[in-house]
Amino acid sequence: MSAVAAVPRPRIASAENRWPSGWVRKVLRMLVTTATVFLITSFGTYMLGALSKTNPAAAVLGETATPADITRMNHQFGLDRPLLVQYATWLGHAFTGDLGSSYFTSIPVSASIRQALPVDLGITGLAALFAVLIGGAAGTAAALKSGGRLDRSVTVVCSALSTIPGFVVGIVLIVVFSATLRILPAGGYVSLTTDPVQWFRCMLMPSFALSLTLAAHIARQLRTSLVAALRENYIVGATVRGLSRRRVLLRHALRNALGPTLGILTVGVPALLSGSVPTERIFSLPGVALLTLQSSERHDVPVIQGTLLVTVATVLVCNLVLGALLARFTPQARR
């Protein structure tokens, strides 16, 4: 009697085994969206400078310039070509790291940005870290004591902090820790590679001042999401099965409550970058925000265009990373 060969059954992938492919598709869609937004914003950034009423050649040569001098300078800057050709050339050079040179100092824009960008990245990175630590701890504590005195206190403090601008907190910090206690510098900047300790001392107050508003939003959102997660049936079931409260919190409730909090971060990171302008002004930090402001005052178009392009690219990369994390940790975002 011949044996009947067993026909292998088709393997049905479970949702748990399928989710990485869904996550990859989600990331690919975000990449396409990011590239599209970058092209649109880069075009708008260039056109804002190209269509401005300021004549760079006349600004560089001064009031004594003749029309022939201005024409020659426009040709040197490439401003006598069609706008779309100018934009395509500028963007192509930007992808190679060439953002042109300042009209007034002739210093390459990329060199100025390389010198200033670490300041903004340091402020934003430390501010985001402080916001996550402070907001995460406050939101978790308030959720675990939902309805209690601690919960109400956290809610009141977060409501107050969300209405106070970062530069106001920065001024208060300078008065307390620099003018009165004299334990932190009121301004200035030392690079991380030169002196890490002094770098942290210089960045501590501006980063902390910038982080409080975002920390308040994170705390309120995490508290709301975590309270809702702790009331779900699977949390009750995990507790009944004898799992420790710490494991239930970290591996089940907190993981499912992270989605809305990461969404807050995707909005908060651009806010941190925009809020760094007054912060850098108060603490005398030579960052990209201050470089952009100074260039705007003297209508230095290449520097303005370069700093805006780098800022947009930085924001888009941060949002892409946070969106990928959101898709990774939130089941709803992977659909």
Side-chain angles (χ1 to χ4, degrees):
M1 185 175 61
S2 60
V4 179
V7 179
R9 295 182 179 179
R11 299 179 64 182
I12 301 176
S14 63
E16 183 67 23
N17 293 329
R18 283 200 310 264
W19 80 258
S21 59
W23 178 69
V24 170
R25 288 195 299 269
K26 178 73 173 179
V27 172
L28 290 177
R29 287 197 298 268
M30 288 189 294
L31 282 172
V32 173
T33 302
T34 300
T36 304
V37 172
F38 177 77
L39 289 176
I40 295 174
T41 53
S42 66
F43 182 78
T45 298
Y46 187 82
M47 289 301 143
L48 285 175
L51 298 177
S52 63
K53 296 181 180 180
T54 303
N55 189 320
V60 172
L61 294 174
E63 297 179 355
T64 59
T66 64
D69 294 332
I70 294 176
T71 301
R72 185 178 65 255
M73 187 65 70
N74 281 331
H75 179 72
Q76 180 180 340
F77 289 154
L79 301 176
D80 54 351
R81 295 177 295 174
L83 279 178
L84 290 180
V85 175
Q86 295 182 41
Y87 165 71
T89 303
W90 173 74
L91 187 62
H93 289 165
F95 280 121
T96 65
D98 181 11
L99 294 171
S101 300
S102 169
Y103 286 151
F104 297 91
T105 64
S106 298
I107 298 175
V109 177
S110 57
S112 300
I113 293 176
R114 279 196 301 268
Q115 185 177 4
L117 186 59
V119 180
D120 291 80
L121 294 180
I123 294 176
T124 304
L126 275 180
L129 179 61
F130 289 151
V132 170
L133 293 177
I134 298 172
T140 304
L144 294 177
K145 301 293 183 181
S146 177
R149 187 173 302 175
L150 177 61
D151 183 19
R152 292 192 295 269
S153 300
V154 169
T155 301
V156 170
V157 172
C158 289
S159 299
L161 289 178
S162 62
T163 61
I164 302 176
F167 69 89
V168 175
V169 179
I171 294 174
V172 174
L173 293 177
I174 291 175
V175 172
V176 175
F177 293 100
S178 297
T180 305
L181 300 178
R182 300 181 182 275
I183 58 177
L184 290 174
Y189 178 75
V190 177
S191 66
L192 179 62
T193 56
T194 302
D195 189 345
V197 175
Q198 187 63 23
W199 172 85
F200 182 75
R201 295 181 73 246
C202 291
M203 303 293 279
L204 181 58
M205 287 197 297
S207 300
F208 183 77
L210 202 58
S211 70
L212 291 183
T213 300
L214 181 57
H217 293 319
I218 290 176
R220 290 196 293 187
Q221 181 59 65
L222 183 60
R223 183 260 175 203
T224 302
S225 302
L226 196 54
V227 166
L230 289 173
R231 294 172 180 172
E232 293 290 338
N233 292 332
Y234 68 91
I235 296 294
V236 178
T239 305
V240 171
R241 289 197 303 269
L243 297 181
S244 64
R245 188 177 185 184
R246 179 180 179 182
R247 184 176 180 181
V248 171
L249 175 65
L250 296 179
R251 297 194 60 179
H252 299 281
L254 193 58
R255 181 174 179 177
N256 286 278
L258 281 179
T261 306
L262 287 175
I264 292 293
L265 280 176
T266 59
V267 179
V269 170
L272 290 179
L273 288 172
S274 62
S276 62
V277 177
T279 303
E280 289 180 9
R281 199 69 180 259
I282 292 173
F283 290 94
S284 302
L285 296 172
V288 173
L290 192 59
L291 176 64
T292 306
L293 183 62
Q294 293 172 347
S295 302
S296 301
E297 292 173 352
R298 60 185 181 184
H299 305 289
D300 200 344
V301 176
V303 181
I304 298 171
Q305 292 172 335
T307 53
L308 290 178
L309 184 69
V310 171
T311 301
V312 168
T314 303
V315 171
L316 290 176
V317 169
C318 291
N319 284 345
L320 181 62
V321 173
L322 291 171
L325 292 175
L326 180 63
R328 169 64 179 85
F329 289 105
T330 307
Q332 296 82 357
R334 296 198 294 264
R335 297 174 182 174

